[in-house]
Amino acid sequence: MQVSRDASNQLAIDPNATERLSSLARSNPKEAIRQVASQFEAILLNQMMASMRSNGFDGEEDSSELGTYRGMLDQQMVNAMVQGGGTGLADMLARQIEGVARIDQAATPAASSGMLPLPALPAAAAKAIRKYAEAAGTATAAPAPVAIPSERQAFVSTLLPHAGQAAERLGVAPELLVGHAALESGWGSRSIRHPDGRESYNLFGIKAGGSWRGESVATLTTEYVDGKARKQVESFRSYPSLQAAFDDYAKLLEGSSRYQRALNQGDNAQGFAVALQQGGYATDPAYARKLAGVAQSLLAH
C-alpha cells in the first residue's frame, strides 16, 4: 500500500492533522483511510519504542544530551519503518475499513457516515477514522486536567511560593514550574539525598556538569549505552534550599538557546511543555503530554 509520506512525517507533531485528514476525506475518502491507517501504525511503533526505552527508566537522565539524540534517532527509525512499508498493520487496517465500506455501500448505498458525508463510507468506517485521526492529531495535546489527590496538595502548597520569582523571570505561570517539578520528582517521592540523609532539593533532575561550581551529590541512575539500559552513578546538582533550586532552574532555561521557545508562554502549559521536549529536556515521546497534563491540573485549581 502506498501512503503519503507527508502524513507519517506529521505524526505526533502537528495538531492540525485532524483538520487536514477531514478535508482529504471529503475529496478522497480512500486515501484518507490509508493515511489514517499509516498514522495509527506509526503511533503504535512510537509507543513500542518508548516502552522499550523506558524499561528500567527512573526519569533522572532526562537532561542528558545523549538522551536527546537517542530520542531523535528513535523518531527517525519509526519514520523510516513507516515510509518503507511498515509492519503490515496499516495495510490490514486499511483493507478492513475499506472492506466494511464496500459491504455497507452495497447494502445501503444512500447511507451517510456522521463524520464524512459520503454514501460510500459507513458509520463503522467513520468511527474508526475519527478514532485514529484524533489520536494522530492530538498525540502531543495534553490530556484533560484531573483532580489533584489530597496527599499531593502539600507538595503544591510548599512549592508555589518558591516558584513565583523564577516563573516571573521565565514569563510563565508558577503552576507550570511546580508541575514540572512534580513530574520530574514524582511529586517529591524521588528525592535525591546525600549519603548523610541531607536533601539536595534537586527537583528537576539537573545533573552537575563540568560548569557546575556548587555542591553535588552522586546517586544511582539509569543510562542507555548502545540502546541498552544500565545502572550507573551520576553526579547531580545540590542546592541549599528550594528557592535556590528554582533560581538555578530559571537560570538554566534562560541561558540555553535550546529552551528559548519555552520562555514567555504565560499559562500556556501545552506550549511550555512542547518547547521543553523539543529542546531536549526529555526523550519520552509522551513527555510533553504528561507535563502539560500535570500543569493544566494545577492551573485548574
Side-chain angles (χ1 to χ4, degrees):
M1 176 182 69
Q2 296 297 318
V3 180
S4 170
R5 290 194 165 100
D6 288 341
S8 61
N9 283 335
Q10 292 164 359
L11 174 70
I13 62 173
D14 189 346
N16 295 318
T18 304
E19 182 178 349
R20 282 195 295 272
L21 282 171
S22 296
S23 177
L24 177 63
R26 295 185 182 95
S27 60
N28 190 343
K30 185 173 183 179
E31 179 61 19
I33 290 174
R34 295 191 175 193
Q35 288 198 20
V36 168
S38 176
Q39 291 199 12
F40 173 69
E41 180 181 40
I43 288 174
L44 180 61
L45 290 174
N46 269 306
Q47 292 177 339
M48 293 172 61
M49 190 71 72
S51 178
M52 178 191 71
R53 290 293 193 191
S54 65
N55 184 27
F57 169 71
D58 58 13
E60 295 177 347
E61 80 279 11
D62 283 352
S63 301
S64 71
E65 294 184 1
L66 177 60
T68 300
Y69 295 125
R70 284 199 304 268
M72 294 170 61
L73 176 62
D74 288 349
Q75 186 66 52
Q76 290 178 346
M77 289 172 61
V78 169
N79 286 342
M81 282 189 284
V82 173
Q83 293 176 14
T87 63
L89 178 61
D91 291 327
M92 290 187 291
L93 178 61
R95 285 198 298 268
Q96 182 177 12
I97 296 176
E98 290 171 357
V100 172
R102 285 193 295 270
I103 293 174
D104 189 81
Q105 182 182 20
T108 55
S112 174
S113 71
M115 175 182 175
L116 303 174
L118 296 171
L121 198 62
K127 182 178 180 180
I129 285 181
R130 182 183 301 112
K131 176 181 177 181
Y132 298 123
E134 290 176 353
T138 61
T140 57
V146 296
I148 302 173
S150 58
E151 62 271 17
R152 295 178 176 177
Q153 291 287 357
F155 178 88
V156 176
S157 299
T158 299
L159 295 193
L160 269 177
H162 299 281
Q165 185 176 352
E168 185 175 354
R169 288 170 56 183
L170 298 174
V172 300
E175 287 83 358
L176 303 192
L177 304 194
V178 175
H180 198 186
L183 180 63
E184 282 291 329
S185 69
W187 297 89
S189 66
R190 295 196 299 269
S191 176
I192 300 175
R193 294 183 178 273
H194 290 268
D196 61 4
R198 285 184 299 122
E199 176 63 65
S200 72
Y201 298 107
N202 192 327
L203 296 167
F204 301 97
I206 303 175
K207 291 184 178 179
S211 62
W212 176 245
R213 295 295 178 263
E215 192 176 7
S216 63
V217 55
T219 190
L220 192 66
T221 186
T222 301
E223 295 289 352
Y224 287 86
V225 178
D226 296 328
K228 297 181 180 179
R230 73 179 187 186
K231 292 288 185 178
Q232 63 187 54
V233 176
E234 290 286 349
S235 182
F236 288 81
R237 299 181 183 186
S238 179
Y239 308 101
S241 65
L242 286 173
Q243 191 60 58
F246 276 99
D247 290 343
D248 188 58
Y249 172 78
K251 181 179 179 181
L252 174 67
L253 297 194
E254 281 180 320
S256 175
S257 60
R258 293 161 51 190
Y259 304 124
Q260 292 306 295
R261 292 184 179 180
L263 308 183
N264 302 312
Q265 289 284 348
D267 61 358
N268 181 5
Q270 179 69 7
F272 179 73
V274 169
L276 285 182
Q277 179 167 342
Q278 290 178 343
Y281 204 97
T283 58
D284 180 359
Y287 192 83
R289 292 186 68 249
K290 295 175 182 177
L291 174 53
V294 173
Q296 287 180 343
S297 295
L298 295 181
L299 288 167
H301 290 80

